[in-house]
Amino acid sequence: MKRDKSKMIIVTVLTAVWMGLFLSGCTAEKKDDPQEGEIILDSVSDTEGLADASPHSDTETDSEADVQTDPQAPAPVADETPPNENGQLMENNSQTALNPGNLYEQFLRNEASALAAESIPQEEYRSPILEKGGSYTFTELGETISAYFLDPEYTDKTSYTAAQYAYVNSPDSTGAQLLLVKFIGLNIYSQDDDSYAVIAIKEDNGQLYLTAEYECWARSETLAYSNGILNDYGSAGAGDHYSGISAFQSDGTFLSVCGTETLSGWWTSCINDAAYQEIFGENTEPGEFVVAIHTVGEDRYYQYDTEECTEEQKILCEAYVERCREEQDINWVSEEEVLNAVKARCDDLGIAYDIINQHPEILWNPVE
């Protein structure tokens, strides 16, 4: 399949943002393998309103790991900015603290508790961080997070290093305001790695609820923006990378808009290992062969790239692609098909398509 360089837009958003951020990282570890994904990244031209491939500025990256605030600055006050024509609050409203009487501030001062909502993640591969229906003050939440991640078998550390908070608005027409609380210094990947966990909190009829959770460490990262969009990044190895876009909902949960797993070289054998071994064997490399697996809602879309392969490698790669089509029932699609699927997914979530490409900086404030 020959690529249309003016169309590979989805991979620009999902792969290019991973490259820029994964090299800067949320931790001290830095990756030395920028070549993975470069084939797709280098071939893309900006089009269809997705020209902004970089998810944030360097300032934003730094703000995720280290908030720089002026200790002499006055305390933030409420912003009465009205909703815009789309029903969303203006950006600066999501970055300012509210009046002292607000429930969110009361929670940060240990004057109000929050209940773990039914939506709080319960993964099969690990025990839950929070007990559904459990009530937590800010202090109790921090103690629970610390006890969960800081294993006494591997560290003498018993508490997170610092806590920060920020406000975001859901990107749908409600523009619902959510509170995010970040606990930094959890040693998720290694000692003193500045990894962190973020808890989303939503007020509903005078009650606070803990509605969602995500983490950032050396091989997994989620960055939130003040418009409620999140960019997800991860790696399962040198030739297996993931990037995606999620969005907060008005109820404080977040759902995936789209995600891409990018496989390169030997890692493409994950699709059909038997066919791969027959075609390439143990001594033949597929070169710069790349397969992108896009997940949009419940559907999967497959693309491949052989542009940087040698002519000999291209013949083998095309044979492998055909075997995957026949034996795995994989339908290799165009960039336009993926783009249309993403737009339809945005419609289903009640989100304007253009919003997922906007990355307004989030302002993290220290919890005193």
Side-chain angles (χ1 to χ4, degrees):
M1 181 187 74
K2 292 185 178 179
R3 299 173 308 162
D4 185 337
K5 293 187 178 181
S6 66
K7 287 184 177 179
M8 289 198 70
I9 202 61
I10 297 302
V11 184
T12 300
V13 174
L14 299 179
T15 304
V17 294
W18 179 89
M19 290 302 302
L21 278 155
F22 214 74
L23 291 175
S24 60
C26 69
T27 70
E29 177 170 326
K30 221 170 189 180
K31 303 296 175 294
D32 296 321
D33 52 353
Q35 65 273 16
E36 288 83 28
E38 276 187 357
I39 301 171
I40 292 179
L41 175 61
D42 291 343
S43 68
V44 177
S45 299
D46 296 332
T47 130
E48 301 268 1
L50 277 171
D52 181 14
S54 175
H56 56 66
S57 65
D58 292 339
T59 303
E60 283 182 79
T61 304
D62 293 339
S63 68
E64 285 286 336
D66 184 23
V67 172
Q68 297 182 4
T69 57
D70 182 359
Q72 303 302 319
V77 297
D79 190 322
E80 301 297 332
T81 305
N84 60 20
E85 63 271 18
N86 295 321
Q88 294 174 295
L89 298 178
M90 298 300 286
E91 177 185 327
N92 61 348
N93 189 47
S94 67
Q95 299 187 18
T96 55
L98 303 181
N99 287 326
N102 181 273
L103 273 176
Y104 288 144
E105 279 212 357
Q106 291 179 33
F107 176 78
L108 295 172
R109 296 197 302 264
N110 277 312
E111 297 172 0
S113 60
L115 299 177
E118 286 296 313
S119 60
I120 204 71
Q122 306 284 304
E123 292 92 351
E124 294 181 357
Y125 65 91
R126 66 179 186 181
S127 59
I129 299 176
L130 302 174
E131 179 183 355
K132 288 185 178 181
S135 178
Y136 300 84
T137 63
F138 173 80
T139 296
E140 290 169 340
L141 180 61
E143 291 173 347
T144 301
I145 294 292
S146 295
Y148 186 88
F149 288 103
L150 296 172
D151 190 337
E153 184 177 348
Y154 301 104
T155 180
D156 294 331
K157 191 175 182 180
T158 59
S159 178
Y160 62 88
T161 303
Q164 300 166 0
Y165 71 95
Y167 293 97
V168 300
N169 296 123
S170 63
D172 58 16
S173 60
T174 67
Q177 189 180 60
L178 310 172
L179 170 66
L180 303 184
V181 179
K182 179 197 296 185
F183 297 96
I184 305 169
L186 298 177
N187 295 3
I188 297 175
Y189 186 74
S190 61
Q191 291 288 332
D192 302 320
D193 62 358
D194 286 332
S195 56
Y196 59 79
V198 175
I199 303 292
I201 303 174
K202 175 68 170 65
E203 183 274 334
D204 185 20
N205 293 323
Q207 175 63 55
L208 296 179
Y209 293 93
L210 310 172
T211 55
E213 183 268 348
Y214 64 85
E215 299 148 23
C216 171
W217 49 286
R219 290 189 176 272
S220 178
E221 182 174 22
T222 297
L223 294 180
Y225 301 97
S226 64
N227 60 358
I229 296 299
L230 303 103
N231 284 150
D232 311 309
Y233 313 93
S235 173
D240 185 355
H241 302 302
Y242 175 83
S243 55
I245 300 174
S246 301
F248 274 111
Q249 305 296 287
S250 58
D251 63 357
T253 62
F254 60 83
L255 297 175
S256 171
V257 177
C258 54
T260 294
E261 182 179 15
T262 303
L263 305 173
S264 60
W266 171 85
W267 293 84
T268 58
S269 64
C270 297
I271 301 175
N272 188 337
D273 184 65
Y276 183 94
Q277 297 303 329
E278 288 181 25
I279 294 171
F280 295 102
E282 296 182 359
N283 301 318
T284 304
E285 289 293 331
E288 302 298 332
F289 177 46
V290 174
V291 172
I293 306 172
H294 307 286
T295 301
V296 185
E298 299 298 321
D299 300 318
R300 282 190 170 187
Y301 302 84
Y302 291 79
Q303 291 181 284
Y304 71 92
D305 185 318
T306 61
E307 185 172 295
E308 299 300 322
C309 296
T310 65
E311 291 304 315
E312 180 182 357
Q313 289 169 340
K314 286 180 181 179
I315 294 173
L316 297 176
C317 291
E318 291 289 348
Y320 177 63
V321 166
E322 189 59 30
R323 288 281 298 273
C324 291
R325 188 197 314 275
E326 295 172 353
E327 299 173 11
Q328 305 297 121
D329 198 27
I330 289 177
N331 181 29
W332 302 95
V333 302
S334 67
E335 292 81 6
E336 184 176 3
E337 290 177 85
V338 181
L339 180 60
N340 289 337
V342 173
K343 289 182 176 180
R345 175 64 172 167
C346 289
D347 289 341
D348 291 342
L349 296 177
I351 301 170
Y353 170 70
D354 290 343
I355 289 180
I356 68 173
N357 307 306
Q358 299 171 9
H359 308 105
E361 181 181 357
I362 194 171
L363 178 62
W364 290 100
N365 304 282
V367 177
E368 302 297 343

